Amino acid sequence: MGIIWELLKLLGDTKSPKEKEKERKEKEFNEIADYLGMTEDEKEDCKLSGMTPEEWAEENDPDYEED
């Protein structure tokens, strides 16, 4: 299946399901982080820690309140 995806990518702008899922998760992460008012440095720290933006904010932002 991997060879087929590589051929399709060469022929057009087709992305594999893994690539689409990764992009979707990245977009969701950024939307939540932006909603929480995280800076780019905070987003990077959050990613490196392996936490979700909510977990990171709960642990690192004194103004964070869960809904």
Side-chain angles (χ1 to χ4, degrees):
M1 189 73 175
I3 294 172
I4 294 171
W5 280 112
E6 292 302 318
L7 289 173
L8 287 173
K9 285 197 297 189
L10 289 173
L11 296 173
D13 193 28
T14 306
K15 296 179 182 172
S16 72
K18 279 186 175 182
E19 290 172 319
K20 288 179 183 179
E21 180 66 13
K22 183 179 177 183
E23 287 178 1
R24 185 195 64 77
K25 285 182 178 181
E26 183 73 20
K27 181 180 177 189
E28 181 180 354
F29 175 91
N30 284 321
E31 286 175 355
I32 293 169
D34 289 342
Y35 176 78
L36 294 172
M38 294 172 70
T39 65
E40 291 301 316
D41 288 337
E42 290 171 336
K43 289 180 191 179
E44 190 62 33
D45 287 344
C46 180
K47 287 178 186 177
L48 292 174
S49 72
M51 297 177 166
T52 65
E54 294 93 342
E55 292 169 334
W56 191 91
E58 187 176 315
E59 209 171 278
N60 296 288
D61 187 354
D63 297 330
Y64 178 75
E65 294 179 17
E66 282 189 66
D67 291 335

